Amino acid sequence: MLYLLSDLSGVFSPLNVFRYITFRTGGALFTAGFFVFWFGPWIISLLRLRQGKGQPIREDGPQSHLLTKRGTPTMGGLMILAGVMVAVLLWANPRNHYVWIVMMVTLGFGAIGFYDDYLKVTKQSHKGFSGKFRLALEALIAVAACVAVAEYSAPGLAYRLAFPVFKDAIINLGLFYVAFAGFVIVGAGNAVNITDGLDGLAIVPVMIAAATFGVIAYLVGNVIYASYLQVNYVPGTGELAVVCGALIGAGLGFLWFNAPPAQIFMGDTGSLALGGLLGTVAVATKHEIVLGIVGGLFVLEILSVIIQVASFKLTGKRVFRMAPIHHHFEQKGWKEPQVVIRFWIIAVVLALLGLATLKLR
């Protein structure tokens, strides 16, 4: 709501600073980070008290996890979502439709993940509620968001898919675009969910992707920069940089407690919500395909599961020692910190490749 102070800039000129997206993005980052860092210990203590035994550990996972991770509370995504929401309400333009669409998906996916975590904790089982029903709910939220994005898009961009690298390469998919964009959002949510298996493994690549899409949102939402880079100008999406800044800040605060050995896990509450947020920002900025590059680590993780399951059902053989692929490298002898840090490096490289598509035309 601090953005509204800019309406008084005619009376008191220093308030004009609240009009600048860059200033408010920085404000959102620090606000979310401070909120999570300050309230984190209290939230962790409360969750540990409520959950007792913490998140159930898969019996068919790496055996070392049964010793090192047992008893750690989950639902840490509540910390992240609270920090993001406080920062967005404080710093984002409340008149911007894209901000509310992104937050609708984030909170909707977060609610689904929270219910799934709740069932796992109360039943002390790694199985939540029906996977098909969960996907149906996610698809419903995603499709509603995609229709809303299309309705608020400029006439020349609605229901159209833009291709990176190729100048003016944009295809009108009609209603099929809603299905495609919905798949992007649901896929992003579940890909981050699959990646969240080691301490700090998911949150850092999420922050890297958020920083990348914060830059993309700022550039495509600015007519001068969009014209210079020859990318599609999407009015209003620059405000999503503030949302991405809030996510980075909340992620940094969460990482303080999630760094090995983790005091708390993100859980489905956080992973589904953060993936959904990234997917929706990609759809709003018309960079759905670029998300596949920037979030290539998440794509690799979910593909490893799909390949493993398909191979075992068709041939009875496994391609990886264990899926998702981060467990494969654990089984090969890599220590957890090695897997995590090397995957962070991959995430940085992929983010740079994604940003490079803005200039390659």
Side-chain angles (χ1 to χ4, degrees):
M1 295 298 179
L2 289 175
Y3 173 83
L4 299 178
L5 292 176
S6 63
D7 294 341
L8 301 175
S9 59
V11 179
F12 188 55
S13 58
L15 293 178
N16 191 53
V17 71
F18 289 101
R19 290 185 181 274
Y20 299 129
I21 291 174
T22 48
F23 175 78
R24 288 184 288 110
T25 299
L29 189 155
F30 282 105
T31 299
F34 177 79
F35 180 92
V36 177
F37 183 78
W38 184 261
F39 290 102
W42 177 79
I43 295 173
I44 292 172
S45 297
L46 180 62
L47 290 174
R48 182 177 288 114
L49 179 65
R50 295 286 185 181
Q51 295 177 13
K53 296 180 179 180
Q55 176 173 297
I57 308 300
R58 295 179 65 98
E59 298 291 340
D60 57 348
Q63 294 302 300
S64 61
H65 290 194
L66 295 173
L67 298 174
T68 59
K69 302 186 184 299
R70 189 178 297 278
T72 306
T74 186
M75 297 185 186
L78 292 173
M79 300 163 56
I80 303 172
L81 295 183
V84 169
M85 197 65 192
V86 167
V88 167
L89 289 175
L90 194 61
W91 293 98
N93 179 0
R95 305 186 186 107
N96 186 284
H97 299 295
Y98 291 116
V99 169
W100 294 114
I101 293 170
V102 170
M103 293 313 298
M104 177 198 74
V105 174
T106 304
L107 295 178
F109 276 36
I112 294 171
F114 175 82
Y115 182 60
D116 205 31
D117 284 335
Y118 174 78
L119 291 178
K120 291 176 182 176
V121 169
T122 53
K123 295 180 179 179
Q124 277 300 298
S125 169
H126 65 269
K127 294 181 180 179
F129 69 109
S130 168
K132 292 182 180 179
F133 183 57
R134 190 177 90 165
L135 284 174
L137 287 176
E138 293 171 11
L140 183 64
I141 295 171
V143 167
C146 293
V147 171
V149 167
E151 290 302 313
Y152 286 115
S153 296
L157 296 175
Y159 301 102
R160 287 169 168 80
L161 176 65
F163 289 86
V165 180
F166 300 100
K167 185 174 66 174
D168 299 325
I170 186 167
I171 300 177
N172 187 352
L173 298 179
L175 291 179
F176 180 72
Y177 174 79
V178 175
F180 172 78
F183 173 78
V184 170
I185 295 174
V186 173
N190 285 279
V192 174
N193 181 233
I194 290 292
T195 306
D196 184 33
L198 299 177
D199 298 348
L201 178 58
I203 190 60
V204 172
V206 163
M207 289 190 291
I208 292 169
T212 305
F213 271 93
V215 172
I216 291 173
Y218 179 74
L219 294 175
V220 303
N222 184 296
V223 65
I224 297 175
Y225 292 136
S227 176
Y228 170 72
L229 294 170
Q230 299 182 14
V231 295
N232 294 294
Y233 168 54
V234 188
T237 54
E239 200 65 28
L240 294 178
V242 179
V243 178
C244 291
L247 174 52
I248 295 168
L252 287 171
F254 176 75
L255 182 61
W256 182 269
F257 306 104
N258 187 237
Q263 295 174 250
I264 190 168
F265 297 141
M266 186 190 302
D268 292 0
T269 307
S271 56
L272 277 178
L274 302 189
L277 186 156
L278 292 174
T280 311
V281 171
V283 169
T285 56
K286 311 303 294 183
H287 277 70
E288 302 92 341
I289 296 176
V290 174
L291 178 62
I293 301 173
V294 175
L297 178 64
F298 305 129
V299 175
L300 177 64
E301 289 276 6
I302 199 166
L303 279 178
S304 70
V305 174
I306 294 172
I307 292 170
Q308 186 85 324
V309 172
S311 175
F312 188 75
K313 286 187 175 180
L314 293 174
T315 67
K317 297 180 180 179
R318 292 180 172 84
V319 176
F320 306 102
R321 295 188 181 184
M322 187 176 290
I325 198 168
H326 55 260
H327 290 324
H328 167 78
F329 289 108
E330 278 192 293
Q331 296 299 308
K332 289 189 67 175
W334 290 18
K335 301 298 182 182
E336 182 173 341
Q338 284 182 303
V339 178
V340 171
I341 294 174
R342 286 170 179 174
F343 276 39
W344 289 354
I345 294 171
I346 293 171
V348 170
V349 173
L350 292 172
L352 293 175
L353 287 175
L355 284 174
T357 63
L358 292 173
K359 191 56 182 171
L360 295 175
R361 286 291 186 275

